[in-house]
Amino acid sequence: MANDQLGYDDTPYLPHVDYRVHDPERPQPPVVDPGEPVTNDPPEDATVLLGESGAAGWTHTDGRELEWRIDDGVFEVEPGSGDVRTEAAFGDCQLHLEWATPEEREGSSQGIGNSGVFLMDLYEIQVLDNYENPTYADGYAGAVYGQHPPLVNACRPSGEWQSYDIVWNAPRFDDDELAEPATVTVLHNGVVIQHATEVLGTTGHRTLPEYEPHPSEGHLRLQDHGDRVRFRNVWYREL
Ligand code: MG
């Protein structure tokens, strides 16, 4: 059951800590003011996924033409239209993206400025407006959703542009067996919030993560969670 909207007390226990999935008792990440905004243009060897030239190569996950709005390099979730993903597929990478949650907000917890960055279409780094908005720790902005809270809460105020810089090591499979789990490092507004974190499996809601074998490259997916979250300046470098 939801506990004051800050989590669940009927979910399974995670394998690596004494907390349940979305446990309301798990400590809240401490707040850190990230300082002035960090942005950077794509390096010379980057592949641009979203920039001034638009959102070519993005479709809804079922192949439908985009319903999300693209304007001057800014991509905005169209609530109810569904997730979108890149045509490009890649594995190990350095990924940069910038996002902003709506300035006007209502609701609480997971209900404010929710979206997500799904690496390889399967592993979510949470996007959420956690500026003075607590939620369950493993659902914070920058969480490996349902698994690992961010080390700190480096959110900027609602409506301001924020950045993620992600270093992703894809999982390795040996036939049908997991040979090596994925690891991920995330900087939120220039602050390290995941440090070579071992990913426990694909992202679910209220369920234990598990790995399912998949190809070594996958699409980048952005989540429609019903909020008009915006994205810009998305690029990656293969590693
Ligand atoms: Mg999300």
Side-chain angles (χ1 to χ4, degrees):
M1 297 289 289
N3 179 337
D4 293 349
Q5 298 177 316
L6 281 191
Y8 298 87
D9 57 14
D10 61 352
T11 46
Y13 277 92
L14 286 161
H16 64 302
V17 286
D18 284 335
Y19 294 108
R20 295 174 183 275
V21 174
H22 318 316
D23 198 322
E25 304 299 328
R26 201 165 178 180
Q28 296 278 303
V31 173
V32 167
D33 182 338
E36 288 304 302
V38 177
T39 183
N40 52 320
D41 292 336
E44 184 182 17
D45 61 351
T47 301
V48 175
L49 296 169
L50 180 65
E52 279 161 14
S53 57
W58 291 82
T59 62
H60 283 285
T61 49
D62 59 4
R64 264 178 310 128
E65 214 173 286
L66 279 181
E67 290 179 46
W68 291 24
R69 276 183 256 176
I70 175 81
D71 186 20
D72 207 16
V74 175
F75 212 7
E76 182 178 294
V77 175
E78 180 58 37
S81 68
D83 296 359
V84 299
R85 73 179 183 190
T86 59
E87 196 176 313
F90 45 96
D92 297 357
C93 65
Q94 172 188 352
L95 174 69
H96 175 89
L97 53 94
E98 295 166 25
W99 54 272
T101 56
E103 194 170 342
E104 289 198 8
R105 54 187 226 178
E106 46 183 290
S108 63
S109 187
Q110 295 286 304
I112 305 182
N114 194 331
S115 182
V117 176
F118 281 79
L119 293 147
M120 305 186 85
D121 207 13
L122 292 170
Y123 307 96
E124 184 182 15
I125 304 300
Q126 173 71 307
V127 169
L128 193 70
D129 183 352
N130 282 120
Y131 188 79
E132 298 176 355
N133 173 39
T135 188
Y136 44 84
D138 68 23
Y140 259 77
V144 178
Y145 184 79
Q147 305 179 21
H148 303 286
L151 294 169
V152 296
N153 172 7
C155 277
R156 289 186 188 292
S158 313
E160 293 191 10
W161 283 103
Q162 319 202 31
S163 64
Y164 278 166
D165 288 283
I166 298 173
V167 180
W168 174 252
N169 281 302
R172 265 52 176 181
F173 297 97
D174 205 350
D175 294 324
D176 279 352
E177 294 289 313
L178 178 70
E180 223 181 289
T183 62
V184 67
T185 293
V186 181
L187 284 77
H188 182 190
N189 297 322
V191 178
V192 174
I193 59 164
Q194 300 286 351
H195 181 197
T197 302
E198 187 175 310
V199 177
L200 304 171
T202 58
T203 301
H205 176 60
R206 294 169 48 85
T207 56
L208 284 177
E210 270 181 66
Y211 276 105
E212 296 274 353
H214 58 70
S216 59
E217 298 185 331
H219 308 280
L220 181 69
R221 172 158 63 99
L222 300 177
Q223 185 184 43
D224 167 14
H225 201 281
D227 298 317
R228 291 192 182 278
V229 175
R230 290 166 293 152
F231 293 90
R232 71 177 187 193
N233 195 18
V234 180
W235 52 261
Y236 72 97
R237 300 174 61 248
E238 282 189 78
L239 299 177

